[in-house]
Amino acid sequence: MGRAATDVTSDPELACPVAPVVDIVFSRWTTPILWSLQMFGRHRFVELERRITGITPKVLTQRLRQLERDGLIVRTYHPEVPPRVEYEISDLGRSLGPLFAHLSEWAGVNLEQVEQARRRYDESGAPRG
Amino acid sequence: MGRAATDVTSDPELACPVAPVVDIVFSRWTTPILWSLQMFGRHRFVELERRITGITPKVLTQRLRQLERDGLIVRTYHPEVPPRVEYEISDLGRSLGPLFAHLSEWAGVNLEQVEQARRRYDESGAPRG
DNA sequence: CAGCATCCTTGGGGATACTG
DNA sequence: CAGTATCCCCAAGGATGCTG
């Protein structure tokens, strides 16, 4: 799915062991989706659509399918009128929790440094050479 | 840089605290680059180009600039003939180490489950509804 | 409601060629 | 060597409209 070119895994020695995870967990929009399901529980399609600002239904569908296929979320179809579909995080998806915590902790500690570096670079740091 | 649309941070309450990190750390090709510098130390441009299979010089330059701007790597220009440029990881970049370890540990434990889920989905799991 | 179909746009990357 | 400069392409993503 997606970026075949990133598949550096073909060369075992030089492979970056993080690469496979990136395609699974950090595709566009996936972290807000997983985050929403993780934090606020079960969601219907529209609820996700509303919660995640800016996403279009088409793309939301695509991402949900991908996440379902990867086993990170569970989709439940209720054959009613009007139809109702619910998405919830799976155990596998929940296992990403500590990882996300780690990530947001890193952000909390270091994001300011990154922005500082950017300011410095933009003012005077243009590459000499 | 890149995906402005992902900037869900505008809405504080619903914001996914992980989102900002994603743009910084998990852009395309950044993890192999950081991984190489982290694991094998200082690199010249060609060395990186050779180590990271499939990347083009143009894109490598782009990513290196981005990482330098974000303060995750340090670029050193040696005014010699022929010119020599060296890239190394910064302290800030090195602070991602535990995170990467966490990621690759998650991969080790759960990647097989993901692939299993995919196989199951592809065989019989097409969304009913 | 929860989507799928269709059309269209865009810009990230790829390929190639060229300099200081 | 370490990049820039161009050109080009395609697939992710947006917009819109329609169904079970």
Side-chain angles (χ1 to χ4, degrees):
Chain A
M1 204 117 242
R3 46 172 84 159
T6 310
D7 186 19
V8 192
T9 56
S10 44
D11 192 334
E13 207 210 346
L14 313 177
C16 168
V18 173
V21 190
V22 174
D23 287 352
I24 296 170
V25 182
F26 300 107
S27 308
R28 220 189 166 184
W29 296 112
T30 54
T31 62
I33 294 174
L34 290 173
W35 181 264
S36 296
L37 297 181
Q38 177 98 275
M39 294 298 289
F40 306 102
R42 197 180 299 170
H43 281 68
R44 304 182 61 166
F45 188 87
V46 234
E47 292 171 343
L48 278 173
E49 196 179 350
R50 278 197 275 265
R51 192 182 288 284
I52 300 172
T53 321
I55 197 168
T56 61
K58 177 190 159 188
V59 174
L60 178 56
T61 303
Q62 289 175 343
R63 288 289 90 92
L64 288 172
R65 286 290 180 280
Q66 176 188 335
L67 291 169
E68 186 195 3
R69 189 174 102 103
D70 289 348
L72 299 180
I73 67 175
V74 177
R75 176 181 184 270
T76 313
Y77 175 72
H78 303 269
E80 312 167 359
V81 264
R84 188 161 55 91
V85 173
E86 293 192 310
Y87 295 93
E88 53 189 326
I89 197 138
S90 69
D91 287 346
L92 189 53
R94 218 187 315 277
S95 76
L96 288 167
L99 201 52
F100 278 38
H102 198 157
L103 272 165
S104 78
E105 192 202 330
W106 187 91
V109 176
N110 296 302
L111 211 57
E112 175 52 35
Q113 288 220 46
V114 171
E115 275 156 18
Q116 219 174 298
R118 283 181 180 173
R119 265 174 266 136
R120 229 178 302 137
Y121 183 94
D122 289 344
E123 292 179 352
S124 59
R128 6 42 306 178
Chain B
M1 211 121 256
R3 47 173 82 160
T6 310
D7 186 20
V8 192
T9 56
S10 43
D11 192 334
E13 207 210 344
L14 312 177
C16 167
V18 173
V21 189
V22 175
D23 288 351
I24 295 170
V25 181
F26 300 107
S27 309
R28 220 191 166 179
W29 297 112
T30 54
T31 62
I33 294 174
L34 290 173
W35 182 265
S36 296
L37 297 180
Q38 177 99 277
M39 295 296 290
F40 307 103
R42 197 180 300 172
H43 281 68
R44 303 183 61 167
F45 188 87
V46 234
E47 294 171 342
L48 278 172
E49 196 178 351
R50 277 197 276 263
R51 191 181 290 284
I52 300 171
T53 321
I55 197 169
T56 61
K58 176 191 158 187
V59 174
L60 178 56
T61 305
Q62 289 174 342
R63 289 288 89 95
L64 287 171
R65 287 289 183 280
Q66 176 188 335
L67 291 170
E68 187 196 2
R69 189 174 102 102
D70 289 347
L72 298 180
I73 67 175
V74 177
R75 177 182 183 269
T76 313
Y77 175 73
H78 303 269
E80 311 167 359
V81 263
R84 188 162 55 92
V85 174
E86 293 191 312
Y87 294 93
E88 53 189 327
I89 198 140
S90 69
D91 287 346
L92 189 54
R94 217 187 316 276
S95 75
L96 288 166
L99 202 51
F100 278 37
H102 197 156
L103 272 165
S104 77
E105 194 203 330
W106 187 91
V109 176
N110 296 301
L111 211 57
E112 175 51 35
Q113 288 221 46
V114 171
E115 276 155 18
Q116 219 174 299
R118 283 181 182 174
R119 264 173 267 136
R120 229 178 302 137
Y121 183 94
D122 290 344
E123 291 178 355
S124 59
R128 10 34 309 179

